[in-house]
Amino acid sequence: MPPGPAADHALDVQRGERFAFGENWSRFLAVLDERRIAEACASLKKMLELETLAGRSFVDVGSGSGLFSLAAVRLGAEKVVSFDFDPASVACTRELKRRYFPEASHWTVETGSALDEEYLRGLGQFEVVYSWGVLHHTGQMWKALENVVAMVRPKGTLFIAIYRDQGWRSRAWLRVKRLYNAGRVGRLTVSAVFCSYYAVGGLLADLGRLRPPWRRYGEMRDRGMSRVRDWFDWIGGLPFEVASAEQIFAFYKARGFQLENLKISDGHGCSEFTFSRSQ
C-alpha cells in the first residue's frame, strides 16, 4: 500500500491503536432508509438552529457514514465537502453520494485528516464547520480542535461533539478500548462482557416498562446508527480522549468564538457545542 492516510490508518488498526469505524459504518448502509435521513435532517436543523442551509457552505470533518453530509445537501447547502481519515468511511460517504446525488458537483468526498494542516488550508473556509464525535478519535484532540478554527469563516458556525470527561470512568473505558483493540481474544472478551451487560440491562428496563424487549433493536438511535452497532462503536473506539464542557468553552472563547448552544451529555456520550465566530 502506498504511503498516505489509508496506509497510516491500516497501520494504526494493525497495531491496535485505532478502531475501524468505517467498517462499522459500512454495515449501517444496509439499513439506511428515508426515515433515518429525515431524522438526520431534523437533527442538523435543531443543532444548528437553522431551517435551511441554502447559500451556505458546509464541511463535514470526519464524515463517517456520510449521513450528515447527505443531510446538508438535502437542506440546500450550496457547497458540501466531506472528508475522513478512514478509507472505509470515505467509501461509505461516496456510496451515499452515488445513491442520492450522483450528479451533484457541489458535493465532494475526499480522504483527509483533521491533523493535516496543509490539507485543511487547501479546503478553505466554510459557513458551517461540522464535526460530530470525531476530533477525540484523532489521537491528538487538542491539535484537531485548534486546526478546525481556521476553517470557520467570520460570522460562521462551528459545531462539534466531544466525549465528556467522567474522570476515573473515562480512564477505565480507555483500558477497555485498548483491550478490545489488542487482538481477537480481547475483542471476544470485551464483546461478551459488555454486549451481555447492555442486552440484559435493556431487557430489564423493557420488562419494567411492560414493553416488548425486541422493539428496541429495531429503533433508530439519535444519529441513525442501530443500537448494536452503536455498542461496538463505543466499546472499541480508539483513539479516545475526553474534555469537560468548561475546557472546550474556554478553549474556543480564547480564539474569538461565542457559545450559542450547549448540550452536556448525562452519561459517557458526547457533549455538543455550537459556536459562532465573531470575526
Side-chain angles (χ1 to χ4, degrees):
M1 183 180 294
D8 293 341
H9 178 273
L11 185 58
D12 286 350
V13 172
Q14 183 181 5
R15 291 186 301 210
E17 296 174 359
R18 185 174 298 276
F19 176 69
F21 291 98
E23 293 181 10
N24 222 19
W25 284 120
S26 298
R27 299 180 182 95
F28 166 75
L29 294 189
V31 298
L32 180 64
D33 54 22
E34 284 297 325
R35 183 170 66 99
R36 284 177 165 83
I37 296 171
E39 184 67 23
C41 291
S43 174
L44 196 56
K45 288 194 292 185
K46 180 180 179 180
M47 291 186 296
L48 298 175
E49 297 184 333
L50 295 169
E51 283 301 309
T52 178
L53 290 176
R56 291 180 168 88
S57 54
F58 180 99
V59 61
D60 193 350
V61 180
S63 58
S65 69
L67 177 59
F68 280 78
S69 294
L70 174 61
V73 178
R74 284 270 181 103
L75 292 174
E78 69 173 16
K79 176 183 178 182
V80 175
V81 176
S82 314
F83 70 88
D84 204 293
F85 182 67
D86 186 325
S89 290
V90 175
C92 286
T93 305
R94 285 177 175 156
E95 172 60 17
L96 287 197
K97 183 176 186 296
R98 185 197 67 79
R99 288 186 193 179
Y100 296 97
F101 289 95
E103 306 301 323
S105 59
H106 64 297
W107 181 9
T108 59
V109 182
E110 302 178 357
T111 300
S113 169
L115 300 178
D116 187 339
E117 296 176 53
E118 183 178 353
Y119 170 74
L120 299 183
R121 280 195 299 271
L123 294 179
Q125 292 186 312
F126 298 82
E127 272 88 14
V128 179
V129 175
Y130 174 88
S131 189
W132 204 102
V134 171
L135 303 181
H136 50 228
H137 288 313
T138 59
Q140 298 180 60
M141 182 182 71
W142 292 105
K143 179 180 179 182
L145 290 167
E146 179 70 59
N147 286 352
V148 297
V149 167
M151 304 184 76
V152 186
R153 286 184 178 174
K155 309 297 183 182
T157 298
L158 171 65
F159 182 88
I160 59 171
I162 297 294
Y163 281 138
R164 181 171 74 94
D165 188 350
Q166 292 187 285
W168 69 266
R169 291 181 179 86
S170 296
R171 294 189 291 274
W173 273 114
L174 177 58
R175 289 193 288 271
V176 170
K177 293 167 187 289
R178 285 174 173 165
L179 176 60
Y180 180 92
N181 287 277
R184 181 177 176 81
V185 173
R187 228 173 4 257
L188 291 174
T189 301
V190 171
S191 298
V193 170
F194 287 97
C195 288
S196 298
Y197 170 78
Y198 290 137
V200 171
L203 173 64
L204 294 176
D206 289 334
L207 292 176
R209 296 171 185 162
L210 301 179
R211 172 177 127 146
W214 58 84
R215 183 181 297 173
R216 69 173 45 237
Y217 297 101
E219 291 176 345
M220 179 172 52
R221 302 290 283 166
D222 290 344
R223 292 179 49 77
M225 186 182 282
S226 70
R227 190 175 296 272
V228 175
R229 294 264 58 88
D230 198 31
W231 293 349
F232 285 102
D233 189 79
W234 167 250
I235 64 178
L238 277 184
F240 172 72
E241 293 181 78
V242 297
S244 68
E246 292 79 10
Q247 286 176 307
I248 297 296
F249 171 71
F251 183 87
Y252 283 111
K253 180 181 179 181
R255 288 156 178 80
F257 285 80
Q258 178 178 334
L259 183 66
E260 299 293 343
N261 204 351
L262 171 63
K263 179 183 176 183
I264 298 179
S265 170
D266 58 1
H268 55 233
C270 292
S271 294
E272 302 175 358
F273 306 82
T274 305
F275 294 97
S276 61
R277 188 170 195 175
S278 57
Q279 55 184 350

